[in-house]
């Protein structure tokens, strides 16, 4: 996913990081979850156009993640 981000292919990178996030949540791997959410935030910050729906989804995921800790 990071390779795709570096190539500015944000759609594929976000999909891969979302899958990574899903797996991290299922396995309870909070380090991987934090890394995945951070990478998603970097992509959204550097993407030329940020979809409000995508941004809100990320914010809600971060809030939920913080509430669990």
């Amino acid at each position: 996913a990071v390779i795709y981000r570096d190539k500015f292919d944000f759609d594929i990178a976000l999909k891969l990081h979302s899958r990574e996030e899903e797996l991290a949540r299922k396995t309870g791997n909070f380090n991987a979850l934090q890394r995945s959410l951070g990478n998603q935030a970097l992509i959204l910050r550097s993407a030329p156009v940020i979809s409000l729906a995508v941004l809100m989804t990320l914010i809600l995921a971060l809030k939920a993640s913080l509430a669990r800790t």
Side-chain angles (χ1 to χ4, degrees):
V2 173
I3 292 170
Y4 285 105
R5 182 191 73 203
D6 291 345
K7 291 181 177 184
F8 302 102
D9 197 340
F10 300 122
D11 291 335
I12 293 175
L14 276 175
K15 286 178 186 175
L16 291 172
H17 281 305
S18 292
R19 178 66 178 140
E20 177 185 49
E21 175 188 350
E22 180 184 332
L23 292 172
R25 287 185 188 279
K26 284 183 180 178
T27 61
N29 187 339
F30 294 111
N31 289 329
L33 177 60
Q34 180 181 4
R35 187 172 46 252
S36 177
L37 293 173
N39 282 328
Q40 289 178 60
L42 287 173
I43 291 168
L44 292 172
R45 185 179 70 180
S46 58
V49 177
I50 298 175
S51 162
L52 183 57
V54 172
L55 185 58
M56 289 305 298
T57 300
L58 180 61
I59 290 170
L60 292 174
L62 286 169
K63 283 184 179 180
S65 178
L66 291 173
R68 293 181 193 159
T69 58

